[in-house]
Tab-separated table of all heavy atoms in Angstrom:
chain	number	residue	atom	x	y	z
A	183	ASN	N	16.029	1.891	15.271
A	183	ASN	CA	17.133	1.238	14.437
A	183	ASN	C	16.835	1.498	12.850
A	183	ASN	O	17.154	0.496	12.103
A	183	ASN	CB	17.342	-0.125	14.774
A	183	ASN	CG	17.880	-0.320	16.121
A	183	ASN	OD1	18.465	0.594	16.753
A	183	ASN	ND2	17.600	-1.437	16.780
A	184	ILE	N	16.302	2.634	12.395
A	184	ILE	CA	15.975	2.785	11.031
A	184	ILE	C	17.219	3.408	10.333
A	184	ILE	O	17.827	4.340	10.921
A	184	ILE	CB	14.807	3.822	10.920
A	184	ILE	CG1	13.492	3.410	11.696
A	184	ILE	CG2	14.358	3.953	9.348
A	184	ILE	CD1	12.553	4.527	11.745
A	185	VAL	N	17.596	2.947	9.210
A	185	VAL	CA	18.627	3.452	8.460
A	185	VAL	C	18.024	4.305	7.317
A	185	VAL	O	17.402	3.765	6.449
A	185	VAL	CB	19.637	2.340	7.891
A	185	VAL	CG1	20.678	2.954	7.098
A	185	VAL	CG2	20.058	1.474	9.109
A	186	LEU	N	18.374	5.532	7.225
A	186	LEU	CA	17.857	6.524	6.345
A	186	LEU	C	19.128	7.034	5.512
A	186	LEU	O	20.188	7.108	6.045
A	186	LEU	CB	17.175	7.703	6.858
A	186	LEU	CG	15.881	7.345	7.768
A	186	LEU	CD1	15.412	8.578	8.399
A	186	LEU	CD2	14.843	6.656	6.937
A	187	ASP	N	18.758	7.390	4.296
A	187	ASP	CA	19.788	8.093	3.443
A	187	ASP	C	20.018	9.555	4.098
A	187	ASP	O	19.043	10.180	4.248
A	187	ASP	CB	19.317	8.128	1.995
A	187	ASP	CG	19.306	6.830	1.393
A	187	ASP	OD1	20.071	5.969	1.728
A	187	ASP	OD2	18.461	6.635	0.422
A	188	ALA	N	21.325	9.932	4.200
A	188	ALA	CA	21.612	11.127	4.724
A	188	ALA	C	21.991	12.172	3.613
A	188	ALA	O	22.351	11.744	2.507
A	188	ALA	CB	22.680	11.108	5.738
A	189	GLY	N	21.823	13.488	3.947
A	189	GLY	CA	22.105	14.381	2.882
A	189	GLY	C	23.572	14.509	2.444
A	189	GLY	O	23.813	14.999	1.366
A	190	ASN	N	24.484	14.001	3.280
A	190	ASN	CA	25.849	14.038	2.895
A	190	ASN	C	26.245	12.778	2.119
A	190	ASN	O	27.550	12.574	1.862
A	190	ASN	CB	26.752	14.080	4.187
A	190	ASN	CG	26.597	12.977	5.137
A	190	ASN	OD1	25.890	11.960	4.846
A	190	ASN	ND2	27.025	12.981	6.354
A	191	GLY	N	25.303	11.979	1.681
A	191	GLY	CA	25.639	10.851	0.969
A	191	GLY	C	25.939	9.534	1.758
A	191	GLY	O	25.983	8.403	1.242
A	192	GLY	N	25.754	9.759	3.072
A	192	GLY	CA	26.069	8.567	4.004
A	192	GLY	C	24.704	7.982	4.450
A	192	GLY	O	23.669	8.155	3.878
A	193	ALA	N	24.727	7.514	5.619
A	193	ALA	CA	23.567	6.846	6.237
A	193	ALA	C	23.305	7.350	7.602
A	193	ALA	O	24.265	7.662	8.429
A	193	ALA	CB	23.632	5.311	6.316
A	194	LEU	N	22.049	7.444	8.007
A	194	LEU	CA	21.627	7.897	9.263
A	194	LEU	C	20.816	6.880	10.032
A	194	LEU	O	19.811	6.392	9.655
A	194	LEU	CB	20.714	9.163	9.167
A	194	LEU	CG	20.194	9.884	10.394
A	194	LEU	CD1	21.280	10.394	11.264
A	194	LEU	CD2	19.159	10.881	10.029
A	195	LEU	N	21.451	6.454	11.192
A	195	LEU	CA	20.723	5.486	12.063
A	195	LEU	C	19.844	6.246	13.098
A	195	LEU	O	20.475	7.035	13.846
A	195	LEU	CB	21.741	4.534	12.767
A	195	LEU	CG	21.090	3.472	13.652
A	195	LEU	CD1	20.280	2.452	12.863
A	195	LEU	CD2	22.226	2.755	14.441
A	196	THR	N	18.559	6.082	13.095
A	196	THR	CA	17.793	6.832	13.985
A	196	THR	C	16.508	6.119	14.447
A	196	THR	O	16.225	5.005	13.997
A	196	THR	CB	17.382	8.164	13.185
A	196	THR	OG1	16.684	9.053	14.094
A	196	THR	CG2	16.484	7.787	12.081
A	197	ASP	N	15.717	6.765	15.275
A	197	ASP	CA	14.329	6.256	15.649
A	197	ASP	C	13.315	7.291	15.146
A	197	ASP	O	13.752	8.441	14.872
A	197	ASP	CB	14.265	6.205	17.224
A	197	ASP	CG	15.324	5.235	17.792
A	197	ASP	OD1	15.780	4.297	17.025
A	197	ASP	OD2	15.559	5.347	19.022
A	198	ALA	N	12.091	6.868	15.043
A	198	ALA	CA	11.036	7.711	14.538
A	198	ALA	C	9.667	7.326	15.089
A	198	ALA	O	9.432	6.152	15.215
A	198	ALA	CB	11.015	7.866	13.036
A	199	ASP	N	8.873	8.359	15.256
A	199	ASP	CA	7.405	8.135	15.623
A	199	ASP	C	6.564	8.778	14.506
A	199	ASP	O	6.774	9.932	14.078
A	199	ASP	CB	7.068	8.758	16.915
A	199	ASP	CG	7.855	8.146	18.045
A	199	ASP	OD1	7.821	6.951	18.103
A	199	ASP	OD2	8.426	8.919	18.913
A	200	THR	N	5.617	8.068	14.000
A	200	THR	CA	4.688	8.432	12.888
A	200	THR	C	3.289	8.328	13.283
A	200	THR	O	2.923	7.289	13.882
A	200	THR	CB	4.984	7.679	11.618
A	200	THR	OG1	6.512	7.671	11.410
A	200	THR	CG2	4.319	8.254	10.388
A	201	TYR	N	2.419	9.191	12.916
A	201	TYR	CA	1.040	9.005	13.032
A	201	TYR	C	0.264	9.434	11.782
A	201	TYR	O	0.810	10.299	11.028
A	201	TYR	CB	0.437	9.727	14.273
A	201	TYR	CG	0.343	11.208	14.166
A	201	TYR	CD1	-0.784	11.905	13.578
A	201	TYR	CD2	1.459	12.083	14.449
A	201	TYR	CE1	-0.851	13.295	13.421
A	201	TYR	CE2	1.413	13.456	14.324
A	201	TYR	CZ	0.271	14.017	13.804
A	201	TYR	OH	0.173	15.351	13.634
A	202	GLY	N	-0.938	8.889	11.651
A	202	GLY	CA	-1.683	9.286	10.430
A	202	GLY	C	-3.222	9.199	10.713
A	202	GLY	O	-3.686	8.381	11.479
A	203	ILE	N	-3.948	10.105	10.142
A	203	ILE	CA	-5.404	10.031	10.285
A	203	ILE	C	-6.048	10.279	8.889
A	203	ILE	O	-5.582	11.141	8.113
A	203	ILE	CB	-5.929	11.141	11.337
A	203	ILE	CG1	-7.450	10.902	11.548
A	203	ILE	CG2	-5.549	12.474	10.894
A	203	ILE	CD1	-7.934	11.675	12.746
A	204	SER	N	-7.085	9.544	8.631
A	204	SER	CA	-7.767	9.732	7.336
A	204	SER	C	-9.223	9.723	7.447
A	204	SER	O	-9.829	9.060	8.509
A	204	SER	CB	-7.390	8.599	6.335
A	204	SER	OG	-7.818	7.332	6.690
A	205	VAL	N	-9.919	10.428	6.567
A	205	VAL	CA	-11.427	10.440	6.567
A	205	VAL	C	-11.758	10.221	5.078
A	205	VAL	O	-11.316	10.812	4.196
A	205	VAL	CB	-11.928	11.784	7.023
A	205	VAL	CG1	-13.447	11.715	7.052
A	205	VAL	CG2	-11.397	12.020	8.483
A	206	ALA	N	-12.768	9.290	4.839
A	206	ALA	CA	-13.235	9.015	3.504
A	206	ALA	C	-14.769	8.944	3.550
A	206	ALA	O	-15.391	8.496	4.498
A	206	ALA	CB	-12.626	7.664	3.084
A	207	TYR	N	-15.408	9.472	2.368
A	207	TYR	CA	-16.783	9.374	2.255
A	207	TYR	C	-17.004	8.691	0.898
A	207	TYR	O	-16.604	9.151	-0.144
A	207	TYR	CB	-17.468	10.825	2.218
A	207	TYR	CG	-18.885	10.791	2.030
A	207	TYR	CD1	-19.718	10.205	2.872
A	207	TYR	CD2	-19.428	11.336	0.915
A	207	TYR	CE1	-21.107	10.093	2.673
A	207	TYR	CE2	-20.829	11.443	0.698
A	207	TYR	CZ	-21.640	10.862	1.646
A	207	TYR	OH	-23.031	10.728	1.500
A	208	ASP	N	-17.657	7.511	0.894
A	208	ASP	CA	-17.838	6.749	-0.229
A	208	ASP	C	-19.254	6.371	-0.441
A	208	ASP	O	-19.967	5.901	0.424
A	208	ASP	CB	-17.014	5.390	-0.188
A	208	ASP	CG	-15.585	5.597	-0.329
A	208	ASP	OD1	-15.192	6.118	-1.423
A	208	ASP	OD2	-14.814	5.207	0.537
A	209	LEU	N	-19.732	6.601	-1.564
A	209	LEU	CA	-21.168	6.098	-2.081
A	209	LEU	C	-20.913	5.151	-3.267
A	209	LEU	O	-19.746	4.870	-3.545
A	209	LEU	CB	-22.039	7.290	-2.412
A	209	LEU	CG	-22.471	8.136	-1.286
A	209	LEU	CD1	-23.328	9.310	-1.747
A	209	LEU	CD2	-23.135	7.354	-0.164
A	210	ALA	N	-21.963	4.724	-3.888
A	210	ALA	CA	-21.847	3.746	-4.848
A	210	ALA	C	-21.019	4.092	-6.053
A	210	ALA	O	-20.207	3.436	-6.600
A	210	ALA	CB	-23.249	3.258	-5.277
A	211	ASP	N	-21.208	5.451	-6.408
A	211	ASP	CA	-20.604	5.857	-7.627
A	211	ASP	C	-19.520	7.046	-7.516
A	211	ASP	O	-18.899	7.416	-8.504
A	211	ASP	CB	-21.677	6.452	-8.654
A	211	ASP	CG	-22.617	5.353	-9.156
A	211	ASP	OD1	-22.134	4.150	-9.261
A	211	ASP	OD2	-23.780	5.671	-9.405
A	212	TYR	N	-19.268	7.441	-6.312
A	212	TYR	CA	-18.217	8.455	-6.133
A	212	TYR	C	-17.764	8.492	-4.737
A	212	TYR	O	-18.389	7.876	-3.788
A	212	TYR	CB	-18.673	9.792	-6.559
A	212	TYR	CG	-19.830	10.375	-5.686
A	212	TYR	CD1	-19.413	11.144	-4.499
A	212	TYR	CD2	-21.127	10.260	-5.865
A	212	TYR	CE1	-20.444	11.677	-3.659
A	212	TYR	CE2	-22.176	10.707	-5.102
A	212	TYR	CZ	-21.821	11.494	-3.944
A	212	TYR	OH	-22.688	11.960	-3.078
A	213	GLY	N	-16.551	9.141	-4.573
A	213	GLY	CA	-16.042	9.154	-3.215
A	213	GLY	C	-14.947	10.195	-3.093
A	213	GLY	O	-14.341	10.638	-4.117
A	214	VAL	N	-14.780	10.731	-1.920
A	214	VAL	CA	-13.689	11.704	-1.648
A	214	VAL	C	-13.012	11.306	-0.408
A	214	VAL	O	-13.557	10.655	0.522
A	214	VAL	CB	-14.225	13.179	-1.471
A	214	VAL	CG1	-14.760	13.631	-2.783
A	214	VAL	CG2	-15.359	13.202	-0.497
A	215	ALA	N	-11.720	11.635	-0.286
A	215	ALA	CA	-11.013	11.088	0.977
A	215	ALA	C	-9.818	12.082	1.169
A	215	ALA	O	-9.275	12.806	0.239
A	215	ALA	CB	-10.390	9.800	0.698
A	216	LEU	N	-9.374	12.167	2.415
A	216	LEU	CA	-8.242	12.962	2.867
A	216	LEU	C	-7.471	12.294	3.892
A	216	LEU	O	-7.987	11.599	4.765
A	216	LEU	CB	-8.758	14.234	3.375
A	216	LEU	CG	-7.707	15.253	3.975
A	216	LEU	CD1	-8.180	16.796	3.822
A	216	LEU	CD2	-7.362	15.066	5.453
A	217	ALA	N	-6.132	12.235	3.757
A	217	ALA	CA	-5.236	11.627	4.722
A	217	ALA	C	-4.080	12.517	5.054
A	217	ALA	O	-3.493	13.103	4.186
A	217	ALA	CB	-4.727	10.289	4.126
A	218	TYR	N	-3.798	12.649	6.358
A	218	TYR	CA	-2.723	13.367	6.894
A	218	TYR	C	-1.845	12.540	7.719
A	218	TYR	O	-2.315	11.802	8.554
A	218	TYR	CB	-3.241	14.655	7.593
A	218	TYR	CG	-2.065	15.384	8.230
A	218	TYR	CD1	-1.349	16.312	7.640
A	218	TYR	CD2	-1.732	15.147	9.729
A	218	TYR	CE1	-0.280	17.060	8.275
A	218	TYR	CE2	-0.759	15.866	10.264
A	218	TYR	CZ	0.001	16.808	9.603
A	218	TYR	OH	1.039	17.546	10.194
A	219	SER	N	-0.587	12.586	7.445
A	219	SER	CA	0.343	11.767	8.306
A	219	SER	C	1.753	12.655	8.592
A	219	SER	O	1.996	13.528	7.698
A	219	SER	CB	0.776	10.485	7.639
A	219	SER	OG	1.233	10.617	6.223
A	220	SER	N	2.365	12.346	9.645
A	220	SER	CA	3.448	13.101	10.072
A	220	SER	C	4.430	12.229	10.765
A	220	SER	O	4.103	11.393	11.565
A	220	SER	CB	3.052	14.309	11.063
A	220	SER	OG	4.088	14.957	11.473
A	221	VAL	N	5.761	12.370	10.486
A	221	VAL	CA	6.826	11.581	11.114
A	221	VAL	C	7.778	12.513	11.795
A	221	VAL	O	8.187	13.506	11.297
A	221	VAL	CB	7.515	10.714	10.007
A	221	VAL	CG1	8.196	11.639	8.930
A	221	VAL	CG2	8.659	9.849	10.757
A	222	ASP	N	8.171	12.114	13.060
A	222	ASP	CA	9.120	12.850	13.907
A	222	ASP	C	10.315	11.988	14.005
A	222	ASP	O	10.372	10.999	14.668
A	222	ASP	CB	8.462	13.184	15.238
A	222	ASP	CG	9.374	14.022	16.111
A	222	ASP	OD1	10.422	14.434	15.558
A	222	ASP	OD2	9.076	14.202	17.221
A	223	ILE	N	11.424	12.471	13.232
A	223	ILE	CA	12.585	11.651	13.307
A	223	ILE	C	13.495	12.260	14.314
A	223	ILE	O	13.726	13.454	14.542
A	223	ILE	CB	13.230	11.728	11.945
A	223	ILE	CG1	12.470	11.130	10.745
A	223	ILE	CG2	14.714	11.037	11.870
A	223	ILE	CD1	12.898	11.417	9.448
A	224	ASP	N	14.153	11.383	15.190
A	224	ASP	CA	14.890	11.836	16.360
A	224	ASP	C	15.915	12.914	16.087
A	224	ASP	O	15.922	13.992	16.755
A	224	ASP	CB	15.528	10.725	17.045
A	224	ASP	CG	14.566	9.949	18.035
A	224	ASP	OD1	13.351	10.362	18.030
A	224	ASP	OD2	14.947	9.110	18.771
A	225	GLU	N	16.716	12.785	15.046
A	225	GLU	CA	17.789	13.618	14.748
A	225	GLU	C	17.347	14.907	13.962
A	225	GLU	O	18.191	15.785	13.809
A	225	GLU	CB	18.878	12.957	13.950
A	225	GLU	CG	19.954	12.099	14.896
A	225	GLU	CD	19.227	10.790	15.410
A	225	GLU	OE1	18.151	10.502	14.949
A	225	GLU	OE2	19.852	10.339	16.311
A	226	ALA	N	16.174	14.855	13.503
A	226	ALA	CA	15.700	15.943	12.705
A	226	ALA	C	14.986	16.974	13.508
A	226	ALA	O	14.170	16.665	14.290
A	226	ALA	CB	14.725	15.459	11.613
A	227	PRO	N	15.212	18.257	13.279
A	227	PRO	CA	14.625	19.319	14.099
A	227	PRO	C	13.144	19.496	13.782
A	227	PRO	O	12.428	20.010	14.650
A	227	PRO	CB	15.457	20.557	13.826
A	227	PRO	CG	16.014	20.341	12.445
A	227	PRO	CD	16.298	18.820	12.382
A	228	ASP	N	12.631	19.183	12.639
A	228	ASP	CA	11.346	19.427	12.262
A	228	ASP	C	10.593	18.015	11.869
A	228	ASP	O	11.292	17.182	11.354
A	228	ASP	CB	11.153	20.434	11.051
A	228	ASP	CG	11.763	21.801	11.352
A	228	ASP	OD1	11.476	22.253	12.560
A	228	ASP	OD2	12.506	22.261	10.575
A	229	ALA	N	9.293	18.004	11.974
A	229	ALA	CA	8.510	16.750	11.501
A	229	ALA	C	8.433	17.036	10.004
A	229	ALA	O	8.477	18.018	9.365
A	229	ALA	CB	7.237	16.822	12.211
A	230	ILE	N	8.171	15.715	9.303
A	230	ILE	CA	7.899	15.748	7.884
A	230	ILE	C	6.442	15.413	7.816
A	230	ILE	O	5.985	14.402	8.383
A	230	ILE	CB	8.755	14.662	7.217
A	230	ILE	CG1	10.282	14.985	7.311
A	230	ILE	CG2	8.372	14.570	5.730
A	230	ILE	CD1	11.235	13.929	6.852
A	231	ASN	N	5.686	16.209	7.079
A	231	ASN	CA	4.242	16.114	6.935
A	231	ASN	C	3.840	15.745	5.588
A	231	ASN	O	4.384	16.296	4.563
A	231	ASN	CB	3.553	17.402	7.414
A	231	ASN	CG	3.992	17.862	8.797
A	231	ASN	OD1	3.931	17.080	9.785
A	231	ASN	ND2	4.376	19.069	8.946
A	232	ASN	N	2.773	14.866	5.428
A	232	ASN	CA	2.332	14.460	4.125
A	232	ASN	C	0.804	14.598	4.197
A	232	ASN	O	0.123	14.136	5.037
A	232	ASN	CB	2.711	12.927	3.938
A	232	ASN	CG	2.168	12.398	2.620
A	232	ASN	OD1	0.992	12.258	2.432
A	232	ASN	ND2	3.108	12.020	1.755
A	233	LEU	N	0.244	15.235	3.186
A	233	LEU	CA	-1.076	15.467	2.997
A	233	LEU	C	-1.614	14.919	1.639
A	233	LEU	O	-1.087	15.278	0.614
A	233	LEU	CB	-1.587	16.928	3.120
A	233	LEU	CG	-3.040	17.273	2.824
A	233	LEU	CD1	-3.884	16.707	3.920
A	233	LEU	CD2	-3.161	18.787	2.653
A	234	ASN	N	-2.727	14.099	1.587
A	234	ASN	CA	-3.222	13.452	0.383
A	234	ASN	C	-4.675	13.790	0.289
A	234	ASN	O	-5.389	13.569	1.255
A	234	ASN	CB	-2.989	11.937	0.346
A	234	ASN	CG	-1.702	11.543	-0.403
A	234	ASN	OD1	-1.772	11.275	-1.585
A	234	ASN	ND2	-0.613	11.525	0.388
A	235	ILE	N	-5.197	14.235	-0.867
A	235	ILE	CA	-6.540	14.499	-1.144
A	235	ILE	C	-6.881	13.740	-2.352
A	235	ILE	O	-6.219	13.872	-3.393
A	235	ILE	CB	-6.904	15.983	-1.271
A	235	ILE	CG1	-6.481	16.602	-0.019
A	235	ILE	CG2	-8.378	16.120	-1.527
A	235	ILE	CD1	-6.548	18.177	-0.063
A	236	THR	N	-7.945	12.946	-2.440
A	236	THR	CA	-8.334	12.177	-3.601
A	236	THR	C	-9.827	12.190	-3.723
A	236	THR	O	-10.603	12.432	-2.834
A	236	THR	CB	-7.963	10.630	-3.390
A	236	THR	OG1	-8.665	10.189	-2.403
A	236	THR	CG2	-6.465	10.536	-3.141
Side-chain angles (χ1 to χ4, degrees):
N183 298 332
I184 309 169
V185 179
L186 301 176
D187 293 333
N190 60 9
L194 176 67
L195 180 65
T196 188
D197 301 338
D199 295 316
T200 311
Y201 72 89
I203 185 168
S204 67
V205 180
Y207 180 60
D208 286 304
L209 291 180
D211 293 331
Y212 66 89
V214 292
L216 180 149
Y218 173 81
S219 53
S220 179
V221 56
D222 183 5
I223 300 170
D224 276 8
E225 277 73 14
D228 302 315
I230 298 173
N231 303 309
N232 181 294
L233 177 66
N234 266 265
I235 302 173
T236 64

